[in-house]
Amino acid sequence: MVDTRSIVANTSDMTIQDGRQRTGALVQIQKVLELEARKGYSDSSATNGVTRFAGERIAQVMGEVEGDARRTLQDLDALLASYRDLDPEARERVVAESLSLLRYAISASSNASPSRPAPSRAEPPPPQPKPAAAKAPATRKAKPQPMVGSLSDSVLLLPMVGDGRARQLGQVGVRTIRDLIYLFPRRYVDYSNLEKIGSLLFGQMSTIQGVVQSVSSSRTRTGKEMIDVVVQDETGWIHAIWFNPYIQRQLPEGTRVSLSGRVEQLRGTLCLKSPEWEVLSQDTLHTGRIAPVYPLTKGLYQKTLRTLVRTALDRSLHLVEEHLPPETLQRAALIEVREAIEWIHFPEGDTPDEARRRLGEARKRLAFDELLLMQLGLLQQKLDWQGGPGNEIAVDREVVQAFVRSLPFALTSAQNRALGEILRDMASPMPMTRLLQGDVGSGKTAVAAAAALAAINDGYQAAIMAPTELLAEQHLRSLIDLFANLPDNIRPSVGLITGSMNAAARREVYSLASDGGLDLVVGTQALIQESMTFSRLGFAVVDEQHRFGVDQRSALRDKGTNPDVLVMTATPIPRSLALTIHGDLDVSTLDELPPGRQPIETRWIPSRQSRNAYAFVRDEIAKGRQAFIVFPLVEESETIDAKSAVAEHERLSRDVFPDLRLGLLHGRMRPADKDEVMLSFRDGEIDVLVSTSVVEVGIDVPNATVMLIEGAERFGLAQLHQFRGRVGRGAEKSYCLLVSNDAAGDGRTRLQAMVDSQDGFRLAQIDLDLRGPGDFLGKRQSGLPELSLADFSDVRDLERARNEAQELLAEDPDLELPQHRVLAARVNAFWSHVVTEVS
């Protein structure tokens, strides 16, 4: 490896007389290498490759120089000689070092007085070959002058980022400087454990520092070239092994290096295999510290990305403005944002514990930012929706009580509490935006019916939108039954609108709704068709809201003038997550089941005993009952070891239940075909319904008493609980059989929780703790911004962020005050890629 210091001292041998010719040849090489960097080190910047192009031009001037100058060109030629055989990361380093050499050489050829610049991370200096000259690791004191003017500038402004590298960065979502400094590590490797070689232990993650004593190359049995570097300190020596020939030139004898990795064995002696490494004349980014690990893509390496992030921080961190008011920082005990961004990437301290503490402080601040920005956006949406004039429905409590008394059952305390919250919202001059969540069978429909009746009694119309025709028809029948015992003068008229209705029937509903002849209309998306109009829509219900998109829910609201909106879901969500996913809604929870509802007996059965489960199903059907059998896949997969509904339906029909009537239901069927199967099952024409998870939300089949779930360990707790809720809807005792292939770890915990508890909210919290919020978040089709650091299971942090958001918006609802200017911009940027609305 070339010692660049000799270039500065000896390029004076290149005479001024021939300097221009030599400079021209060197400049040509420089331009090709700069183009190579822009093209992602593809060796396509010169017709016959970089090596040949550079070699020809070096040969042109080689005969005109002698001594150290000649050796300089020979070293440059050697540096580029094997360029074609190197991987992209190695090529990147070669290009950077070659450009560094060329700049000195060109400057000398022009008779300038070159002075060596301070080393930057973008162009690391070559290693120093003499141990005596080696210095202790440098401490970063003076940072390079900023070279970017805005965080929205392209990453192409950074050194060593050309078009090819920019494309690679784009694959991990990085296009601007802001994207790069906010590309937070997904994990860290702790290389801060600095050890002496003589005290290394097998299996330990360690960092050592020493001097390269020897470098050798050999071939493995598979033909790979293995580079063996022996590093020594005052306590001993160790082998470091790489399968990268470039290492041989990067770490010549005498180089003082830092190596980090796991201590392994090779031929009976300790070694480090492919460790992270750095020359100790550089400021360490990769060794001897807590090192960040970033998401990568093909051709993009950790060392490259760390170096780019470090360069971006040095040149742009001063542009990051603090967006939280001082009082917020103080109340939440948070560090400033620049410190947080610096430490989330490169936590430093006088001791490893200090570095880890700073990393924790950085994560706390940036996670709080995400939660606060999300809550501000959601609450602002809620304020925007409630800023318009509401209907201020005059709720007649006597009418509501008459409805409650007419029911054949008593409302639970949870139902009464939720109904009171809804009625108070309806009587308010602000439009209601409320979520009613409750377990299967908790009585959401009865609560919604009472609220709808209150609106209808004050002269308004109501609408309930369901995701399928079957659910819409079920709601219609339920409402007719719920209103059946009311006096004629307050009993509302109820109609149905679905896509399968004939044109004449639809026209009749359109006409009655538009002139006020229908009080309450239940329907599917047919409710929001252009032809559907209401005389005075004041109360709208969206059932299983996650099954609808943004435009569909907005269209239903647009059918009235700021109607009160009630969103219902049968998926229990822990309070912490409800505040996050539905932060734009007030939340009412039905957390108790009506008295007398029989618990569903849940059993966990090993796969090898599945015959016993099938025998139990047969016994129930012999009693006149029906059963579900759920599988995790639609069709067989070569990559997933799980049974499929299609194949198992065929097997069960042929080998297990040949005398029974089996149906098949899965998500790839046409909606009309799915409805036909479910109707047949509801009407008793099918004994066993074989299904995928599409049956999770379905219609009532009171005669179904068995839910058998194959591969139960593959489902989340919330989903398992939803499956279980498909049975237990009639008078007969019901059962849920969990057939598990190989439950271990979290899978075992989930199945045991199902056996132990019928409480959907308790199970949802366990699911959140085990699997994180992904399953819940995926159900909100309107979308939420992606979070990198925030943990939704931490209720305390979430509520702290929500309270802070409420404090800020109480003072400044639109964040228009000067002190909130930067915060408002951050909120807008945070939500800029998400289309969302209130419901």
Side-chain angles (χ1 to χ4, degrees), residues 679-701:
L679 281 171
S680 297
F681 188 56
R682 184 196 68 187
D683 295 341
E685 298 168 3
I686 292 174
D687 299 314
V688 179
L689 180 62
V690 178
S691 175
T692 61
S693 60
V694 72
V695 79
E696 180 181 344
V697 177
I699 63 171
D700 285 335
V701 183

Side-chain angles (χ1 to χ4, degrees), residues 233-297:
D233 67 8
E234 66 272 20
T235 67
W237 53 267
I238 190 170
H239 291 273
I241 305 299
W242 287 273
F243 297 93
N244 179 356
Y246 183 64
I247 295 292
Q248 194 164 10
R249 293 190 299 277
Q250 281 284 289
L251 296 179
E253 293 179 13
T255 304
R256 183 166 175 78
V257 296
S258 177
L259 303 177
S260 292
R262 191 173 300 281
V263 180
E264 302 185 44
Q265 287 190 11
L266 179 70
R267 303 189 189 109
T269 185
L270 296 181
C271 75
L272 296 169
K273 291 183 180 179
S274 300
E276 297 274 6
W277 64 273
E278 286 177 293
V279 176
L280 279 176
S281 61
Q282 304 173 35
D283 183 16
T284 60
L285 287 182
H286 318 289
T287 63
R289 65 175 307 130
I290 298 174
V293 178
Y294 298 99
L296 300 175
T297 189

Side-chain angles (χ1 to χ4, degrees), residues 52 83 102 252 296 332 370 444 525 544 550 719 721 749 788:
R52 181 169 176 179
Y83 187 81
L102 281 165
L296 300 175
E370 291 181 337
K444 295 182 295 297
Q525 294 181 42
E544 295 300 339
V550 173
Q719 203 169 25
H721 186 61
T749 302
S788 302

Side-chain angles (χ1 to χ4, degrees), residues 493-643:
S493 57
V494 184
L496 175 71
I497 183 76
T498 68
S500 66
M501 293 171 61
N502 61 50
R506 282 201 304 273
R507 282 195 299 270
E508 182 179 2
V509 174
Y510 292 156
S511 176
L512 289 171
S514 64
D515 63 17
L518 272 179
D519 299 316
L520 194 161
V521 183
V522 182
T524 58
Q525 294 181 42
L527 272 174
I528 58 176
Q529 300 305 309
E530 187 175 347
S531 303
M532 185 74 194
T533 59
F534 289 84
S535 171
R536 198 184 181 201
L537 181 63
F539 182 75
V541 178
V542 180
D543 188 30
E544 295 300 339
Q545 61 87 30
H546 62 268
R547 305 276 294 273
F548 293 104
V550 173
D551 294 341
Q552 295 162 325
R553 294 194 294 265
S554 297
L556 178 60
R557 284 202 306 267
D558 290 343
K559 294 297 181 180
T561 303
N562 292 341
D564 290 326
V565 175
L566 181 67
V567 171
M568 299 197 305
T569 179
T571 303
I573 303 174
R575 173 176 168 78
S576 63
L577 206 55
L579 287 173
T580 301
I581 302 177
H582 304 294
D584 48 0
L585 303 172
D586 297 307
V587 179
S588 293
T589 300
L590 301 181
D591 51 7
E592 60 180 308
L593 295 178
R597 183 177 169 89
Q598 291 191 61
I600 300 167
E601 184 174 328
T602 304
R603 303 174 184 175
W604 177 5
I605 301 173
S607 293
R608 63 180 179 276
Q609 297 178 14
S610 59
R611 288 186 178 181
N612 295 339
Y614 293 149
F616 185 84
V617 168
R618 180 177 286 280
D619 289 344
E620 284 294 297
I621 291 172
K623 298 176 185 176
R625 317 286 180 243
Q626 292 166 277
F628 295 90
I629 301 181
V630 174
F631 292 90
L633 301 178
V634 176
E635 296 177 345
E636 291 183 331
S637 167
E638 294 182 1
T639 58
I640 302 176
D641 183 19
K643 295 178 180 179

Side-chain angles (χ1 to χ4, degrees), residues 414-415 418 436-439 442-444 447 588-592 761:
Q415 285 175 302
L436 177 62
Q437 64 164 349
D439 217 338
S442 59
K444 295 182 295 297
V447 173
S588 293
T589 300
L590 301 181
D591 51 7
E592 60 180 308
F761 288 94

